[in-house]
Amino acid sequence: MIGHPAFALEPWSIRETHLNLDVLAQSESVFALSNGHIGMRGNLDEGEPHGLPGTYLNSVYERRPLPYAEAGYGYPESGQTIINVTNGKIIRLLVDDQPFDVRYGTLQSHERVLDLRAGTLTRRVTWSSPSGCGVRILSTRLVSFTHRAVAAICYEVTPLDAGLRVVVQSELVANESLPDPGRDPRTTAILQSPLELEDNLAVENGAVMVHRTRSSGLRVATAMRHDVDGPDRPNVQSEGNDDVSRVTIASRLDTGETLRIVKMVAYGWSGQRSRPAMHDQVVAALASAELTGWQGLLADQRAFLDRFWEGADVEVEGDAPVQQAVRFGLFHVLQSAVRAEQRPIPAKGLTGPGYDGHTFWDSETFLLPALTYTFPAAVADALAWRRSSLAKAEQHAAGLGLKGAAFPWRTIDGDEGSGYWPAGTAAFHINADIADAVVRYVDATDDDAFERDTGLPLLVGTARLWRSLGQRDMEGRFRIDGVTGPDEYSAVADNNAYTNLMAQHNLRAAADVAGRHLDEAEALGVTLEEAASWRDAADDIVIPYDERLGVHAQAEGFTDHARWDFASTSPDQYPLMLHFPYFDLYRKQVVKQPDLVLAMQLRGDAFTPEQKERNFAYYEALTVRDSSLSACTQAVMAAEVGQLELAHDYLGEAALIDLDDLEHNTRDGLHIASLAGAWTALVVGFGGMRAGGGTLRFSPRLPSGITRLSFRLRYRGRLVSTTVTPEEARYELVSGPPLPIAHHSEEIELGDRPVRRPLPPLNPGPRPTQPKGREPEPRHSGADG
């Protein structure tokens, strides 16, 4: 955990009131700006000091070999790693020939503010050089939501006490030196100098650079232009050499005069387009941005976010840190996807190189649900990318001797990017997670064209995989053996309950959608017999249940395993995967992240309330939360079974994972799925929101530490507002036609007037226990202080 009060508690911003170099890398992730296409870490303008420099373009990667001690059939031969592309953030400053560096001279004040409503990062600095020359620096940075290829920085310098000579050097720098990532396998495999220069052209007030990756063959173009405003017509020169382009601006400033520079940077990439085409593309993007102008970019950014927050905001009274964190999380969730436009959403977004920049099942299961009800267009884009990679998934399945599509465990371009690993290679549930996201999106939007053109091929390909992977046993039951569920501490198990329940949902959805789009299904080769076989398999699928214990088994035989010796495991031995062999973990009852509990959240229809309560208590005692995907799921189900204070504890862990650096790896990028999970914990957990069949259902409850919860959702062309207090819930249709909803099973037609309903009494059972030393940090009433 960050050991100092890193950020001021403010509801709509993240404010760092002083610079702490010990947590510079963490703050660079927190202050990262992105639009899903461009990602810029929150590095200081001058580039040094830094924790981890980083500028990323979605899906720009380099290939690297995946070594094996022993080769095996079907093992991926190469992996993909996101690369640090050309850095367009750098603006260096010299004051009377002395370089501005926060480590030298006197740093009188330093403040950075991430404004969640304006979509900007602002930095205010007062600094005196070693010789006593004082300046005030104001810089504002944005990555545009409305101009996909553009980032911009407004940089202002003002003398404090006396006239000065100032020189600003604005640069594009490729192949920056990067620090050693260390031995933690969760961090990226850094590739040095991945870019080969093809063009470096200095132009008036700017430059254009074009590079090509050495192995993957992707072409990256970057351009910059500057609008300079200052006294006595500042001198401006441009130059380019090797991997650096520079615009140098020199000016004399009297006390109170300001040199103002607006730097606009454009990025583009392609695996097919020529060098001249890429050059022209970024030059054109700059021309469009210059037409809009700096003030226009600011206004467009604010207007875009105003529309987003109108349908996405969550208000939390009683817990100020969570209030700040949930908005911070939603902002970064939006940033990760808003202009990705049929590209994957990486687990870290574009905030850092963690996990090599790969996308996992995190996207469909944790990130897309939040976006489905707040910014659904991004969900359609993300799933369209999955559709575009369907052919590769079919090839992957064929390589495994299976029919249908087997989507990769981790990837950037649709190819499997993970070395053989039982916890990943056998995790076929990624297929059902994608299918679940398709069904959820279609229900929330009623988008028939998407269901036909994108959803149907995805559902058919994934259903065929399950029908091929599973088998009938002697009793006629449909089994899916030798797979890995969400819990990566159990691998290659038979009939994993999560996998089977989600596959069941996938098979039924595929048959239903094929029935609604007969011509398109026929074009995919779907017959009535095949669709019927999907329904039969779904009806007969095995769901393990331990009659002796009265709980669902995570997988067949799981509840017969010896329990992990939690009492003898010391706090410094977590996460277990870094201190114990997987072999030992695989054969014990110990859970890295909720598996059966996540099944209860996503397939709540398959469990009775009594089963949910017993299952939750049983698996709480086994779950060590060595994954950032744990807390939000546990929060949702704790709330559903009535353990509201425990749910609040888990909410805090999910929401504050990066602002408090709870996993000690925020330096490598934010945990986007967990940040989305904070929204889920509040809306799905305490709001009790469930959706399906064209209706919304709510079963709201609040813990003692939250006195009011309000949130907004977009659903089938409506905007719905829900407000919960300890006594009642209020539902309002802000816009759109009437909508059927339910409040604690009471059916309501939501129309012109808000509806109020009291909350029924709650009688929870005993609070479940967790493994020794793995209890969540308690939250409490009065957390505003």
Side-chain angles (χ1 to χ4, degrees):
M1 184 179 293
I2 292 177
H4 72 104
F7 308 110
L9 271 182
E10 298 177 356
W12 282 104
S13 65
I14 309 299
R15 184 184 304 271
E16 180 188 61
T17 57
H18 64 281
L19 186 65
N20 186 331
L21 298 183
D22 292 337
V23 292
L24 188 58
Q26 291 92 324
S27 66
E28 289 167 350
S29 297
V30 168
F31 289 133
L33 294 178
S34 173
N35 63 7
H37 171 58
I38 304 168
M40 291 183 164
R41 282 177 62 80
N43 306 118
L44 302 179
D45 300 285
E46 56 275 17
E48 298 177 13
H50 59 244
L52 182 63
T55 303
Y56 312 104
L57 294 178
N58 193 335
S59 298
V60 173
Y61 66 92
E62 187 59 299
R63 292 196 177 275
R64 58 184 174 85
L66 291 175
Y68 300 96
E70 296 182 12
Y73 176 77
Y75 288 14
E77 295 180 356
S78 65
Q80 308 139 30
T81 296
I82 194 171
I83 62 170
N84 181 29
V85 299
T86 307
N87 184 358
K89 303 186 293 290
I90 295 180
I91 300 178
R92 305 189 195 276
L93 170 66
L94 289 89
V95 179
D96 276 357
D97 301 328
Q98 294 180 311
F100 165 53
D101 188 315
V102 296
R103 296 166 295 188
Y104 304 105
T106 302
L107 189 63
Q108 298 168 2
S109 66
H110 192 284
E111 179 185 78
R112 289 187 289 178
V113 180
L114 179 64
D115 190 320
L116 306 177
R117 287 183 290 193
T120 56
L121 176 64
T122 300
R123 182 186 183 203
R124 297 179 177 87
V125 183
T126 305
W127 178 80
S128 294
S129 70
S131 63
C133 299
V135 292
R136 181 173 60 250
I137 302 163
L138 172 63
S139 115
T140 304
R141 182 187 301 176
L142 66 82
V143 174
S144 177
F145 293 158
T146 56
H147 292 253
R148 182 173 184 259
V150 173
I153 304 169
C154 180
Y155 193 86
E156 299 178 343
V157 184
T158 305
L160 290 178
D161 305 313
L164 298 170
R165 288 176 289 110
V166 298
V167 176
V168 173
Q169 296 175 312
S170 178
E171 297 180 343
L172 300 178
V173 180
N175 292 319
E176 293 177 289
S177 296
L178 299 174
D180 186 342
R183 299 180 61 185
D184 189 331
R186 295 169 294 181
T187 59
T188 188
I190 298 296
L191 300 179
Q192 296 296 330
S193 301
L195 296 170
E196 292 183 321
L197 181 67
E198 290 189 329
D199 196 6
N200 187 342
L201 177 65
V203 298
E204 182 181 1
N205 288 356
V208 183
M209 298 176 72
V210 182
H211 288 82
R212 191 177 178 88
T213 56
R214 299 179 187 277
S215 178
S216 58
L218 304 178
R219 184 169 279 117
V220 176
T222 314
M224 66 176 176
R225 288 290 299 273
H226 299 79
D227 179 24
V228 181
D229 182 17
D232 297 330
R233 302 176 64 178
N235 180 270
V236 182
Q237 297 180 349
S238 302
E239 59 181 322
N241 186 39
D242 295 328
D243 281 334
V244 178
S245 292
R246 181 180 299 111
V247 172
T248 302
I249 302 156
S251 179
R252 293 182 180 273
L253 300 176
D254 289 333
T255 304
E257 291 183 329
T258 297
L259 174 64
R260 181 178 183 268
I261 301 165
V262 173
K263 177 180 186 177
M264 294 193 181
V265 186
Y267 288 92
W269 73 270
S270 174
Q272 298 177 321
R273 304 188 72 204
S274 67
R275 180 194 58 76
M278 293 306 303
H279 177 286
D280 293 350
Q281 178 179 325
V282 292
V283 169
L286 279 186
S288 176
E290 289 174 325
L291 181 65
T292 302
W294 171 248
Q295 292 301 325
L297 289 176
L298 287 175
D300 288 350
Q301 193 87 336
R302 181 63 182 248
F304 189 101
L305 282 165
D306 284 346
R307 292 192 297 272
F308 171 72
W309 289 118
E310 180 189 22
D313 190 26
V314 178
E315 296 178 72
V316 182
E317 292 183 6
D319 192 334
V322 165
Q323 173 66 91
Q324 180 184 47
V326 70
R327 285 178 175 147
F328 168 77
L330 280 170
F331 177 77
H332 274 290
V333 166
L334 177 70
Q335 284 202 131
S336 72
V338 60
R339 300 305 303 271
E341 296 179 3
Q342 301 189 27
R343 295 292 175 189
I345 304 174
K348 297 286 188 179
L350 296 175
T351 65
Y355 298 114
D356 288 323
H358 289 185
T359 188
F360 297 78
W361 70 294
D362 310 24
S363 179
E364 282 78 15
T365 301
F366 296 90
L367 181 63
L368 295 193
L371 286 169
T372 296
Y373 303 107
T374 59
F375 195 77
V379 179
D381 275 337
L383 292 172
W385 171 76
R386 288 290 191 187
R387 170 66 180 89
S388 73
S389 68
L390 182 59
K392 289 185 176 181
E394 291 171 338
Q395 293 171 4
H396 185 41
L400 297 172
L402 300 168
K403 296 179 182 179
F407 283 93
W409 174 240
R410 59 186 299 169
T411 188
I412 293 177
D413 70 345
D415 289 327
E416 179 60 73
S418 174
Y420 176 79
W421 182 42
T425 306
F428 290 100
H429 67 82
I430 176 67
N431 267 32
D433 302 325
I434 293 168
D436 184 55
V438 168
V439 173
R440 181 183 298 107
Y441 171 79
V442 171
D443 173 71
T445 62
D446 203 21
D447 188 340
D448 184 73
F450 173 90
E451 181 181 72
R452 180 187 64 244
D453 300 333
T454 299
L456 176 64
L458 288 172
L459 291 170
V460 168
T462 51
R464 283 173 170 163
L465 184 282
W466 296 121
R467 192 65 185 83
S468 174
L469 185 63
Q471 61 166 335
R472 295 279 179 178
D473 63 15
M474 296 294 290
E475 300 175 13
R477 302 180 305 167
F478 190 74
R479 305 176 55 86
I480 303 177
D481 294 334
V483 300
T484 300
D487 172 29
E488 295 166 1
Y489 286 173
S490 299
V492 195
D494 294 341
N495 291 312
N496 170 256
Y498 174 88
T499 300
N500 285 17
L501 283 166
M502 297 299 286
Q504 181 184 62
H505 182 48
N506 189 166
L507 289 161
R508 287 173 175 163
D512 290 345
V513 172
R516 288 195 291 271
H517 303 282
L518 292 173
D519 291 343
E520 291 79 10
E522 183 179 357
L524 295 173
V526 179
T527 64
L528 292 176
E529 291 77 9
E530 184 179 25
S533 76
W534 296 341
R535 293 189 190 278
D536 290 343
D539 291 343
D540 298 332
I541 206 161
V542 175
I543 308 299
Y545 185 78
D546 188 326
E547 296 283 355
R548 174 177 51 91
L549 296 174
V551 298
H552 285 83
Q554 181 172 290
E556 278 189 343
F558 179 82
T559 50
D560 294 326
H561 293 170
R563 288 202 172 204
W564 186 265
D565 187 356
F566 298 108
S568 299
T569 305
S570 62
D572 60 1
Q573 290 180 302
Y574 290 97
L576 298 178
M577 61 187 177
L578 300 183
H579 300 93
F580 297 93
Y582 271 104
F583 166 73
D584 201 18
L585 297 169
Y586 290 162
R587 62 197 190 98
K588 299 287 178 58
Q589 286 193 67
V590 57
V591 178
K592 179 183 180 184
Q593 62 209 66
D595 191 308
L596 192 282
V597 174
L598 181 59
M600 294 195 298
Q601 176 188 329
L602 299 180
R603 286 296 317 277
D605 59 300
F607 302 87
T608 67
E610 294 76 19
Q611 288 172 341
K612 290 177 182 178
E613 187 172 354
R614 288 181 64 87
N615 287 340
F616 181 76
Y618 186 85
Y619 287 98
E620 272 293 282
L622 303 175
T623 303
V624 295
R625 301 193 327 285
D626 282 348
S627 166
S628 62
L629 304 180
S630 300
C632 59
T633 299
Q634 288 168 283
V636 170
M637 290 312 301
E640 182 168 344
V641 301
Q643 299 294 335
L644 300 178
E645 307 310 316
L646 179 60
H648 193 186
D649 297 344
Y650 282 132
L651 162 64
E653 188 171 291
L656 296 167
I657 189 169
D658 289 313
L659 291 179
D660 283 353
D661 196 14
L662 299 180
E663 293 277 321
H664 310 294
N665 59 1
T666 295
R667 71 180 304 278
D668 301 316
L670 301 180
H671 299 78
I672 301 297
S674 185
L675 297 183
W679 177 92
T680 303
L682 285 163
V683 174
V684 180
F686 294 129
M689 188 279 287
R690 304 291 187 272
T695 186
L696 294 175
R697 300 179 299 280
F698 300 91
S699 300
R701 306 275 192 190
L702 291 184
S704 60
I706 296 178
T707 57
R708 178 179 171 273
L709 170 65
S710 181
F711 55 87
R712 290 188 165 200
L713 301 171
R714 298 191 183 278
Y715 188 76
R716 295 200 170 195
R718 286 90 160 179
L719 181 57
V720 178
S721 173
T722 300
T723 300
V724 186
T725 66
E727 295 79 25
E728 68 172 16
R730 179 183 184 273
Y731 306 102
E732 180 182 1
L733 185 63
V734 179
S735 64
L739 176 70
I741 68 168
H743 169 82
H744 286 281
S745 300
E746 178 193 352
E747 296 183 2
I748 300 169
E749 180 79 4
L750 193 59
D752 294 337
R753 296 185 178 184
V755 174
R756 297 176 183 270
R757 289 292 186 272
L759 303 190
L762 178 66
N763 296 302
R767 177 173 170 132
T769 60
Q770 294 76 40
K772 178 186 175 183
R774 303 306 286 171
E775 306 86 353
E777 188 74 18
R779 305 200 69 74
H780 53 82
S781 300
D784 283 307

